[in-house]
Amino acid sequence: MASFRVYLSAAGLLLLACGSESRTPEPPALDKAFSSLPLPPDPEFVSRAGSADALQITLHSSADVARVIDYYRNVLSRGSWRLVSDLKSADGSTALYAEQNGPPLWVRIWKATDRSGTMVQLTGAVVIPDSVKSQPKPDTTSKRTGPRQS
């Protein structure tokens, strides 16, 4: 009888442990990951994925690859955007990275394989203010007071 209680208790603990597994965190809201979201010409939503601090949106554009790449190079090189990186991958896709006063933006562009047009993957991250940058810098130009000692 005592061994039955031990087995029952162990089974209960096992069930509790299984039920306490960590859940996949919800991706951030669109406005938290993307302060500005430049959409490609004629966008069509395909999918959304993410983690607690990043959001990835995949879109289809009926425009050809060259037009979409030119569009993003133009948009991410003016206004508050600064195009930091522009690379062509071995798989033929183009990867762009841009920064602004807000979340950075990663853009991956490639030719659609299942239909005509272009696929665009936009990835944004939640930016947490850097506590070191927000602290005042020490005053190194303060004047000495009092008599000078020799």
Side-chain angles (χ1 to χ4, degrees):
M1 185 77 157
S3 63
F4 177 73
R5 287 184 191 164
V6 170
Y7 288 120
L8 188 58
S9 296
L13 287 174
L14 184 60
L15 286 174
L16 283 173
C18 290
S20 67
E21 290 179 17
S22 63
R23 306 268 188 263
T24 304
E26 278 291 312
L30 193 66
D31 64 332
K32 298 289 185 200
F34 302 103
S35 63
S36 172
L37 184 60
L39 298 175
D42 192 26
E44 175 190 333
F45 178 79
V46 175
S47 67
R48 172 186 167 148
S51 63
D53 56 0
L55 180 61
Q56 185 177 77
I57 297 173
T58 304
L59 304 162
H60 175 264
S61 172
S62 60
D64 67 16
V65 174
R67 181 174 168 215
V68 174
I69 291 170
D70 287 344
Y71 167 78
Y72 276 103
R73 284 178 177 154
N74 183 32
V75 167
L76 300 176
S77 296
R78 59 185 181 151
S80 64
W81 288 105
R82 183 173 62 92
L83 186 58
V84 176
S85 178
D86 183 342
L87 302 170
K88 181 107 178 176
S89 299
D91 66 2
S93 66
T94 297
L96 307 171
Y97 171 70
E99 295 177 342
Q100 64 172 344
N101 293 332
L105 179 65
W106 291 265
V107 182
R108 185 170 163 255
I109 304 163
W110 69 97
K111 183 173 178 16
T113 55
D114 59 342
R115 55 185 165 170
S116 64
T118 304
M119 300 302 294
V120 177
Q121 195 172 62
L122 302 168
T123 305
V126 175
V127 176
I128 299 170
D130 187 356
S131 60
V132 174
K133 288 182 182 178
S134 64
Q135 293 180 5
K137 296 188 190 275
D139 182 14
T140 58
T141 61
S142 62
K143 295 182 180 176
R144 189 179 175 132
T145 58
R148 207 175 228 189
Q149 297 192 3
S150 22

